[in-house]
Amino acid sequence: MKKSVKFKALYWDIAADLLFPPDFDENKKYPAIISSHPIGSCKEQTSGNVYGQALADAGFVVLVPDASFQGESGGEPRFIEDPSFRVEDYRYACDYLVTLPFVDENRIGVLGICGGGGYSISAAKSERRKSSSKYYRSELWSPLS
């Protein structure tokens, strides 16, 4: 199950998909993961449809946001990649997750894919609400390289 949500950044909204585990029960508490997309990507690609869905199927509530200035999220100018805002996006995502009654606020982790991984590590160094940070870097290999 998936739900589209929005939560506040500085002066704009961050758009995200909230993915739920099978047999989700809103009266239970679940660990949560913020799944962050690579540079130049969006929530509908690897962070959501691949890793986010797999984590939801494994029993996590997964928040998959579009970064500020990108995808369906707000912010101007459009399509910029600003490392400081990408790190702040994790804090806004945590702020949102802890308001949800079915999220265990002591079990929030982050998964950053490719460029999102660097931002997740930076955010985890200063954000104490996250209990875990994982970085995944994919490599594309070609027989011609």
Side-chain angles (χ1 to χ4, degrees):
M1 181 170 72
K2 176 170 78 171
K3 178 181 176 184
S4 293
V5 299
K6 292 190 177 200
F7 53 91
K8 284 290 179 199
L10 285 175
Y11 303 106
W12 56 86
D13 288 335
I14 294 178
D17 289 335
L18 193 59
L19 308 176
F20 299 94
D23 302 322
F24 173 75
D25 179 350
E26 65 182 30
N27 296 310
K28 291 183 178 179
K29 293 273 190 182
Y30 294 89
I33 302 284
I34 302 163
S35 181
S36 178
H37 63 75
I39 294 170
S41 187
C42 63
K43 66 184 182 308
E44 291 83 12
Q45 294 178 346
T46 56
S47 61
N49 291 341
V50 178
Y51 298 101
Q53 190 58 58
L55 288 164
D57 291 344
F60 294 90
V61 169
V62 184
L63 184 65
V64 188
D66 275 333
S68 290
F69 314 108
Q70 300 175 25
E72 293 181 86
S73 289
E76 295 284 336
R78 300 298 298 156
F79 311 115
I80 64 168
E81 185 68 35
D82 185 313
S84 62
F85 278 107
R86 287 289 301 259
V87 171
E88 286 300 312
D89 286 349
Y90 283 103
R91 291 185 181 86
Y92 299 129
C94 262
D95 291 344
Y96 173 72
L97 283 173
V98 299
T99 68
L100 303 175
F102 48 82
V103 168
D104 181 345
E105 65 184 58
N106 295 311
R107 297 192 304 161
I108 297 175
V110 295
L111 170 67
I113 297 121
C114 203
Y119 301 134
S120 70
I121 292 167
S122 182
K125 290 190 302 187
S126 60
E127 177 56 69
R128 300 297 177 228
R129 292 176 290 185
K130 293 183 191 75
S131 58
S132 175
S133 177
K134 299 294 179 214
Y135 167 66
Y136 179 78
R137 178 178 169 199
S138 61
E139 296 288 343
L140 299 177
W141 293 95
S142 165
L144 301 176
S145 58

